[in-house]
Each structure stands twice: as structure tokens, then as C-alpha cells.
Amino acid sequence: MKIGKILLALTLVIMSGTASAQTLYKFGFCSGFAGTESRLTIEGATSAEAAIFISAEELERFSGDSFAGVNAALTSKMNVHDMTAWIRKDLNGENLAEQYIDIRSTQKPRDGWNSIQFDTPVVIEPGTGYYVGYTFNQTKTASAISFVDGDYAGASWIRTGEGNWSERADLGILSIEALITGENLPQNDMQLISASLSDDYYVIDTPVSMIYEIRNNGVEPVSVFTLTIADEEAGISVSHTVYQTVSYGVTRSYKESFVIPGVESGKKYRFTATVSKPNGSDDETPEDNSVVLGEIPVLATVFPRTVLLEEFTTEKCSNCPAAAETVHDMIATFTDDQKKRFAMVCHHSGYGIDAFTQPCDKDYIWFYNNGGSMYAPAFMLDREGQTGSSVRTPVFSNLPVNAFAYKVTQAQDVPALYSVTVSGTHDATSRKLHVKVEGEEMLATLDNPRITVYVVEDNVLASNDGMGQSGSGGAKFYHNHVERAYNDTWGEPAEWNGNKYTYECELEYPEGCKTEDMQVVAFISNRDETDPVNCEVGNAAWKELADFDPSGIDGITNDSGKTSAMIYDLSGSLTRNSDDTTGLPAGVYIVKKISGGKSTTSKIIVR
């Protein structure tokens, strides 16, 4: 929280028999906030005092005005019998003015703000600093004194019982404000309390959102102001005129989008956000109008994200068929683009093991808070840690279809800072693949990047001739996204050349797999063997095995100028010396045509 002077006016009409206006202005260091959680417990029946010090420099603009009272916040009124608001020149000095309230008076101590006015105001003398505070008596142990986050000199003085005053900056800033009345109150005065960009980076020529919180500390309502993002050292600045009505003493949060001109990819900039020109006038206290956003790297581009959904499932899990149906129904709601950017792998662990369990699946129970409470069905989405969980884990339970679809598509909308592409060759005869994974890093967010590759298969009949799945209702069950091969449990390092990487591996899947139902899934992720929620996936990619190049076809040249065609199966064996597919068994084939000395290769599917 940015700490600045908070000046909030409150108009009251209090005159016997006539209606004349008296303006009370709130001046403090807590940004108008009252802390609601206790940071200090005082034992037993005793007294306590709290105060802030307002220096002569800070009060200079109010010279000749008067202290009319104190605005003091309590986290809880419980066990507080009475309060006395006061003004002093010295912490141990006499009260220049005071006002007492207790549990029997018309105005009683209450939770939150207590606006306590003096019968006789105290004139603010030039060149004089004042302590503004209160004393309360408690009947038993209480946690009444309100603090907010921040650090401001002189804003946290505490005294209990007969002890000495101490400055408790470790507890934050006291929720205390002076009530000031007079002729010198600010008219056009804004404060920028906080500001942050929506991302930790900026992509050239792309709008970025800034969320910011402002407060109108002036008497006049603000209807228009200027919002600026700038790096003065780099000579970069962009401003927007904002038309928003912010009433006297009100705090508001807004979002504004900027395209920042003149930045260069690969450089970092230290931007500052500033509000200015309330109602077109100069701000009367510009020192609280800016917030430093910190150093922001600039990127040339970001990449579309393909999310990785991992499911923990076994044939012993009676609830897993319903989860599989949920995933099926969720995918049916996706657009074509969302389907392309969705990769999935099933780990047969979490609730026992079965015939499809791979060694890596057993190791992955570490994600359940390092082997903590396990269950299935369960999921991980890009191995991101789950908020609200009582343990540190990326694992979460099954969701309703709409909620699941929302979770996945929201993740797809987050740009990726790593790209992933998959290519390779496939020899169906030997059941071997050569897989090549390539990509680029726009910003190093993974401390220990690893490449993991899975070969998965759909439409796999459950064990016991399809009847081995618990909870299937007596019907044959087919598994999807079944792991058939993988490179390494936790992935392997890639070869890096600057910000580009390459990784290659050889994989072999078992006999009996249907290649037309198989895909290769690859992703780049962090590896942290100490923390299950620090293994997030940077990006993923997948490719149908049928789209891999066959590795068994020899090169053919023909310089005769004649046209010829041959059909090969996926193992590279010649099937037919023409492009006529009549009578071919259903499957995927490679057609190679040679014409005029040029060779072209295409893929066909015979159904």
C-alpha cells in the first residue's frame, strides 16, 4: 500500500436554530482504511493509548484552521468500556482538547471508525507538530487497536497501562485521522493508492491493462483526470484522459488499457503510473499521485497456449467412468481451435494400479502433496497449484462439465512464453518413433526446464475383454489417452541455442496398439523435486501418430518425365504401383507421385 496523507472532508450541519455548514476534514496516514484483524492483544483490565504524530510541515497548509476532533478505528469494541479522543503537543503532555465517550453515552465505542468531535476546537499553530490519539479503558483482555499495512514515521505510537510510549512500526500504521475544519481545505486533490499491470511483461504493440485505485481527497468531486504511464529515463510516456466521477472522500478502482509506444524488445523498463489534473486543475498535493510499477521486460511476441490435462484413473476406481464421460462432454463443447489446443494424458494411479499402469504413474503420486492423501478420479491442469487447497498440490477433483470447460478454456486464454512443436518419423514395423521437439523461450520463467514426451492411445479395450473397469455398469469399457511410451518420468533437458531449444528421443510402443488411434504429446515444464506446485507446464503440443513421416520409404527419383504413383503402408512397404485405392484394407497410407522428375508425398485414409 502506498502511504500518503489522506484528507477526506465530511460536511455536517450542526448549528442551534440555523443551518450553517461546518466541514470536517480527515487527515491521517492509513489511506482511509480501518484494519479489521487484530495485531495487538492487551492482557487484563487496563488502559491503553494510541497516537499518530503530524509534523509542522504536514500541517503548514492548515495553519489557522482547527482540530475539531479525532477519527479512530477499533478492530473490536469487545471489552472496551470507554474512549477519550485528544490532541497533544507532547505524548506525555496535557490534552489541548479531549472528548469522552463510553458504553452508556449516546455515542458509544463501536467496531470500525469512531468519529469523536471536541466541544471546543484547537487552533493549529504555525510551525507546530501535534499528536492525535485516543485513550481507552478495557474491562478484560482485548484486541481493539486497529492497524493497516504500511510504514510511516510517527504513525504507530502505543502505550499500555503505566508503561512508556513505544513506536510499533512492526505492526503497521494506526487507523487514526485528525478531524480538521477551516478555510484552507484542499479543493482538487487526488491520491493514487495502488497500480499494477495485468502482466509481468509487455508485448510490443499489444494493449496491456493497468488496474489502479484512486482516492479523491479534495472537497470538489472529480469528473475528469489524466492517467499516465512513463519511463522518464527512457523518454517514454503515454497518457489517457479518464472521465470518471469520484466523489468527495471516495476510493475507486478502475482498469485502463494502454499501448506503450517506443519500447524495444529484449529491454526492461521501469514504468511509473501517475494521476494528475483533477478537473483539469493542478493537484494540490502531487507527492502522493504516483506509484512505481517496477521493472517490466518487453517481449516481441507471446505464443498460443495448448493446455495439458492429466488424469489420475484406474480400473479399480468406480467413479472414473463418470469422470471420463465428463471429459468427453467437455471436449464436445470446445471450438475447433480449442480442441487443437487441448492435450491429455491419463496416469493409471491414484487409486491403486492396473494393467495399464506405467512406472512413471507410480512416481506421479508425489504430486498429491508429495504422496499425501490420494484419490481418483483426479486431474492436473498444466500442473498449476490449486488455490484454496489446504495442501500444496496441483491435483484437483472432478468438476461439472461447464465448470471444467471454463477452467480449461480460461487456461487456454493465458498466453504462453514458450513455444512447442512436435515432428518426427515412425516405423510401424518396428513400432519405433523418432520424436523431435523444438521451441522458443520469450521470457525465462522456468528455472529448470525439461521436455517430456508421451505416446498415448485412444479406444483401448479395458482388461478382461472390456469388463475390467469398475463402475462401468456391466458394459464394455474403452480407455482413452492411455500412456504407451514415454521418455522420462520428469522429462529431460533440451539443447539450448540462445532462446531456442531442440530435443530428440527414440520411443517404442508395445505390440497390439492401433496406430490410427495414437498421438504424441510433448510439453516443456519446470522440474523442482522439492515442490509439487513449482512444476508448472510452460506450453504443450500434440500430433497424431498418423501425421508422422514414415521412416521406411526409400527416396525415388525419376528423370524420364513420365508420371507414376505408388502407395505405401505406414511401415514403408510398397502396397500398390498406382494411386488406385480400390480394394485396399481400411487404414492410413502414403501416396508418392513422381512427375517430371519431381516427387510429392501425401497421406490418404481408406475407410
Side-chain angles (χ1 to χ4, degrees):
M1 180 184 298
K2 178 179 180 291
I3 302 304
K5 297 185 290 293
I6 303 307
L7 308 170
L8 170 61
L10 172 63
T11 302
L12 300 174
V13 178
I14 317 173
M15 277 293 181
S16 57
T18 62
S20 62
Q22 178 189 22
T23 301
L24 297 183
Y25 214 86
K26 297 176 183 176
F27 185 106
F29 310 112
C30 60
S31 295
F33 295 109
T36 58
E37 295 184 2
S38 170
R39 301 185 183 184
L40 178 64
T41 299
I42 300 173
E43 301 289 338
T46 187
S47 63
E49 295 185 287
I52 62 173
F53 178 71
I54 306 177
S55 69
E57 293 75 18
E58 290 162 331
L59 289 171
E60 182 179 358
R61 60 196 286 196
F62 300 105
S63 180
D65 291 343
S66 299
F67 291 115
V70 176
N71 200 35
L74 299 179
T75 58
S76 172
K77 66 182 180 182
M78 184 176 295
N79 299 329
V80 174
H81 179 270
D82 57 69
M83 294 178 68
T84 300
W86 46 256
I87 301 291
R88 298 173 184 170
K89 290 184 179 180
D90 185 274
L91 279 174
N92 294 308
E94 64 177 5
N95 294 340
L96 303 179
E98 65 180 47
Q99 185 63 47
Y100 174 86
I101 64 172
D102 65 22
I103 58 174
R104 295 182 297 271
S105 59
T106 302
Q107 181 181 0
K108 301 174 175 60
R110 65 179 185 178
D111 296 348
W113 287 109
N114 293 265
S115 181
I116 307 172
Q117 298 178 45
F118 302 140
D119 291 334
T120 304
V122 176
V123 175
I124 299 172
E125 300 175 4
T128 305
Y130 293 86
Y131 288 91
V132 179
Y134 62 90
T135 303
F136 69 88
N137 289 292
Q138 61 187 46
T139 56
K140 59 178 67 173
T141 298
S143 303
I145 300 176
S146 174
F147 292 86
V148 296
D149 291 338
D151 183 13
Y152 197 92
S156 54
W157 287 100
I158 297 292
R159 178 174 179 262
T160 59
E162 299 300 320
N164 296 320
W165 284 95
S166 62
E167 190 169 13
R168 295 298 306 274
D170 58 306
L171 298 175
I173 294 172
L174 284 163
S175 298
I176 296 177
E177 298 169 322
L179 299 177
I180 300 175
T181 185
E183 302 297 325
N184 301 316
L185 306 180
Q187 303 299 303
N188 294 290
D189 184 10
M190 295 182 66
Q191 179 192 7
L192 181 61
I193 296 175
S194 65
S196 61
L197 295 180
S198 55
D199 298 311
D200 295 328
Y201 54 85
Y202 176 69
V203 182
I204 287 180
D205 297 330
T206 302
V208 63
S209 295
M210 186 175 77
I211 300 171
Y212 62 101
E213 187 176 27
I214 60 174
R215 187 178 186 87
N216 180 14
N217 294 326
V219 172
E220 291 294 326
V222 173
S223 59
V224 61
F225 59 91
T226 299
L227 177 66
T228 302
I229 294 179
D231 183 332
E232 292 185 0
E233 185 175 338
I236 293 171
S237 179
V238 57
S239 297
H240 285 186
T241 300
V242 181
Y243 295 91
Q244 295 285 357
T245 299
V246 187
S247 298
Y248 182 33
V250 172
T251 299
R252 289 281 186 267
S253 293
Y254 297 109
K255 179 188 290 186
E256 193 78 13
S257 292
F258 288 86
V259 174
I260 306 175
V263 294
E264 297 181 36
S265 174
K267 291 188 175 181
K268 296 181 179 180
Y269 296 83
R270 188 172 294 279
F271 293 113
T272 297
T274 302
V275 292
S276 62
K277 294 294 182 181
N279 296 321
S281 302
D282 290 337
D283 193 289
E284 296 178 39
T285 57
E287 60 270 17
D288 61 5
N289 286 29
S290 297
V291 171
V292 177
L293 301 179
E295 198 170 60
I296 304 294
V298 174
L299 311 180
T301 189
V302 289
F303 305 104
R305 180 178 295 276
T306 295
V307 298
L308 174 69
L309 182 66
E310 298 171 87
E311 180 182 0
F312 291 95
T313 180
T314 67
E315 291 192 339
K316 297 178 181 179
C317 169
S318 59
N319 293 320
C320 285
E325 187 68 20
T326 295
V327 172
H328 174 272
D329 292 344
M330 173 184 66
I331 295 173
T333 70
F334 291 169
T335 64
D336 289 343
D337 177 66
Q338 289 168 340
K339 290 177 182 177
K340 291 177 183 177
R341 295 189 295 112
F342 175 78
M344 187 167 178
V345 176
C346 284
H347 305 304
H348 280 249
S349 61
Y351 190 75
I353 59 175
D354 59 28
F356 302 99
T357 302
Q358 297 277 359
C360 65
D361 299 335
K362 300 176 183 178
D363 293 332
Y364 289 151
I365 63 173
W366 174 79
F367 282 114
Y368 291 81
N369 190 34
N370 194 18
S373 176
M374 292 173 290
Y375 57 93
F379 298 89
M380 298 189 292
L381 183 60
D382 282 340
R383 299 184 178 179
E384 289 281 350
Q386 297 304 297
T387 58
S389 174
S390 60
V391 295
R392 293 176 58 81
T393 178
V395 180
F396 60 94
S397 302
N398 192 21
L399 298 169
V401 173
N402 289 341
F404 217 144
Y406 179 79
K407 187 179 183 75
V408 170
T409 56
Q410 286 291 105
Q412 288 177 324
D413 288 341
V414 178
L417 300 174
Y418 294 81
S419 65
V420 181
T421 60
V422 181
S423 62
T425 58
H426 171 219
D427 185 341
T429 301
S430 64
R431 308 186 310 283
K432 291 183 178 180
L433 294 88
H434 178 85
V435 180
K436 185 175 184 180
V437 183
E438 300 173 280
E440 188 175 359
E441 173 190 78
M442 293 308 300
L443 187 64
T445 58
L446 303 179
D447 299 326
N448 183 16
R450 301 289 186 92
I451 307 299
T452 305
V453 181
Y454 297 112
V455 181
V456 299
E457 183 181 4
D458 293 335
N459 302 315
V460 178
L461 191 64
S463 64
N464 191 25
D465 193 28
M467 307 303 292
Q469 176 64 53
S470 177
S472 64
K476 285 190 175 184
F477 188 83
Y478 290 84
H479 297 286
N480 290 317
H481 318 291
V482 177
E483 293 168 305
R484 291 308 200 180
Y486 63 97
N487 63 334
D488 183 83
T489 299
W490 305 111
E492 295 182 330
E495 293 289 334
W496 288 85
N497 182 11
N499 68 329
K500 295 184 178 180
Y501 69 88
T502 303
Y503 171 82
E504 298 184 56
C505 66
E506 302 284 341
L507 297 175
E508 180 179 343
Y509 56 86
E511 292 184 4
C513 294
K514 304 182 295 299
T515 56
E516 65 272 19
D517 288 331
M518 300 179 75
Q519 306 93 39
V520 174
V521 175
F523 59 94
I524 184 169
S525 64
N526 194 48
R527 171 60 177 146
D528 182 350
E529 62 273 9
T530 68
D531 190 351
V533 299
N534 192 31
C535 300
E536 71 275 10
V537 174
N539 208 352
W542 64 277
K543 190 172 185 175
E544 296 282 358
L545 185 57
D547 291 333
F548 273 61
D549 294 331
S551 60
I553 301 176
D554 295 329
I556 300 176
T557 61
N558 187 335
D559 297 326
S560 66
K562 297 180 181 180
T563 298
S564 61
M566 287 79 64
I567 298 178
Y568 297 83
D569 63 20
L570 290 180
S571 69
S573 301
L574 180 64
T575 302
R576 189 163 293 181
N577 276 311
S578 72
D579 58 1
D580 181 11
T581 62
T582 304
L584 284 177
V588 181
Y589 297 88
I590 304 298
V591 177
K592 177 162 286 191
K593 291 184 178 181
I594 303 171
S595 178
K598 295 183 178 181
S599 173
T600 61
T601 302
S602 61
K603 185 182 301 176
I604 61 171
I605 299 176
V606 177
R607 301 187 184 279

